[in-house]
């Protein structure tokens, strides 16, 4: 991370944090305390897969995934958009307001922030986001508000699209020329002895995957972080929200997890 307090920070908030009020409150309280004393602007990007899973089960709709991405039939996208851009976004906004923040709920489409296109016809209404126009987002930040952005976007034809939240956060960071932290329930990448690895480049990460040190769902996260570092041309941090006391250090530019380095 850098010490440049003026560079905005995009935080992708994922994992169980979204379903745990106590954790969320600690994260938002840490942001509120930090923003009282510092000039750095913070943006939250979120998914909410667990809410979608619950809703799909209630509606007796089957959840299908392909290569880790949710298959989203076009007839189901209004329901999924309602869960993510509606319920999840407003729950987060409500918690942030309760914790003293001036929170604004947004989607990837607001102000043309991200351009979204269909990723793969086999996945249905699943989009790939690319950086767009950040003027509206910049204006919201200039008003000392905390933008909370859902990973739902619109195509140029106005079609609702579900975007992977990690990828959405990369596109938002690209539009803002911001730093990016993927905040979840994992501390970062651990070595074979359980110690946190402070930084990794692509070659080192591949060798840990081949050696089965990085396994299962962590492989997806590591690949996403490396891709993000290359796309943005700056280090990307994977860190945890489990220790809220460390979050203020993170907001101030200190690394508390694993940094993924872009190709030189």
């Amino acid at each position: 991370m850098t010490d440049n307090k003026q560079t905005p920070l995009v935080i992708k908030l994922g994992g169980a944090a979204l379903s745990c009020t106590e954790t969320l409150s600690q994260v938002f309280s840490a942001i509120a305390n930090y923003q009282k004393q510092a000039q750095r602007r913070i943006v939250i990007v979120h998914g909410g897969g667990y809410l979608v899973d619950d809703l799909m089960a209630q509606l007796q709709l089957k959840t299908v995934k392909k290569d880790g991405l949710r298959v989203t039939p076009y007839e189901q996208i209004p329901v999924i958009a309602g869960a993510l851009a509606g319920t999840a976004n407003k729950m987060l906004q409500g918690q942030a307001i309760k914790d003293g923040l001036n929170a604004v709920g947004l989607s990837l489409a607001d102000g043309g922030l991200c351009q979204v296109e269909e990723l793969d016809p086999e996945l249905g209404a699943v989009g790939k986001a690319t950086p767009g126009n950040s003027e509206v987002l910049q204006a919201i930040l200039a008003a000392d508000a905390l933008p909370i952005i859902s990973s739902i976007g619109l195509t140029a034809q106005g079609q609702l699209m579900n975007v992977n939240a990690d990828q959405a956060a990369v596109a938002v960071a690209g539009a803002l020329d911001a730093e990016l932290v993927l905040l979840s329930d994992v501390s970062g990448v651990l070595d074979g002895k359980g110690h946190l690895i402070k930084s990794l480049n692509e070659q080192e990460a591949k060798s840990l995957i081949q050696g089965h040190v990085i396994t299962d769902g962590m492989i997806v996260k590591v690949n996403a972080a490396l891709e993000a570092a290359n796309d943005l041309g700056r280090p990307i941090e994977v860190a945890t929200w489990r220790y809220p006391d460390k979050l203020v250090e993170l907001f101030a530019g200190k690394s508390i997890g694993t940094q993924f380095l872009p190709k030189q």
Side-chain angles (χ1 to χ4, degrees):
M1 304 288 283
T2 176
D3 286 328
N4 181 4
K5 305 289 192 299
Q6 301 310 313
T7 305
L9 176 65
V10 172
I11 297 172
K12 186 268 173 165
L13 198 54
L18 299 181
S19 57
C20 178
T21 307
E22 188 184 346
T23 301
L24 271 183
S25 181
Q26 289 172 333
V27 171
F28 286 135
S29 296
I31 292 174
N33 290 336
Y34 173 72
Q35 291 199 318
K36 279 174 194 161
Q37 48 173 324
Q39 297 306 306
R40 190 172 207 193
R41 287 165 174 166
I42 292 176
V43 175
I44 303 278
V45 177
H46 69 89
Y50 82 97
L51 270 173
V52 176
D53 290 341
D54 289 354
L55 187 62
M56 301 282 276
Q58 284 169 25
L59 297 171
Q60 297 180 323
L61 296 169
K62 202 162 80 169
T63 294
V64 179
K65 293 203 172 176
K66 182 183 176 212
D67 300 330
L69 292 170
R70 182 187 300 276
V71 175
T72 306
Y74 277 95
E75 64 272 16
Q76 290 176 11
I77 187 64
V79 169
I80 289 171
L84 295 177
T87 307
N89 189 264
K90 295 308 153 202
M91 280 169 58
L92 287 170
Q93 186 182 5
Q95 186 61 54
I97 288 168
K98 188 178 173 186
D99 291 316
L101 288 155
N102 177 18
V104 177
L106 300 168
S107 75
L108 300 177
D110 292 309
L113 177 60
C114 293
Q115 290 156 351
V116 176
E117 293 174 349
E118 186 183 73
L119 180 62
D120 174 350
E122 286 186 23
L123 292 170
V126 172
K128 176 172 174 59
T130 50
N133 186 332
S134 69
E135 276 182 34
V136 171
L137 184 57
Q138 299 271 19
I140 290 167
L141 289 169
D144 291 330
L146 174 75
I148 299 178
I149 304 173
S150 74
S151 58
I152 293 292
L154 291 168
T155 66
Q157 289 73 42
Q159 169 64 50
L160 281 165
M161 285 281 174
N162 182 16
V163 178
N164 170 273
D166 283 348
Q167 202 263 312
V170 173
V172 171
L176 263 184
D177 192 20
E179 290 191 342
L180 174 62
V181 175
L182 304 176
L183 211 54
S184 70
D185 40 10
V186 295
S187 301
V189 179
L190 306 179
D191 65 16
K193 296 177 179 168
H195 299 133
L196 183 70
I197 299 171
K198 289 308 241 174
S199 70
L200 279 175
N201 61 29
E202 198 160 349
Q203 200 176 349
E204 291 163 342
K206 279 183 176 161
S207 129
L208 289 174
I209 290 169
Q210 283 163 357
H212 303 292
V213 175
I214 296 172
T215 57
D216 305 329
M218 199 60 194
I219 294 175
V220 178
K221 194 171 286 294
V222 164
N223 286 334
L226 285 167
E227 196 177 323
N230 290 332
D231 283 356
L232 296 172
R234 55 172 27 134
I236 299 301
E237 176 124 358
V238 170
T240 183
W241 36 252
R242 287 189 186 278
Y243 311 109
D245 50 319
K246 284 191 171 178
L247 290 178
V248 171
E249 294 176 30
L250 180 73
F251 304 152
K254 189 175 173 190
S255 174
I256 65 165
T258 301
Q259 286 203 321
F260 290 84
L261 307 174
K263 287 176 183 164
Q264 294 302 315

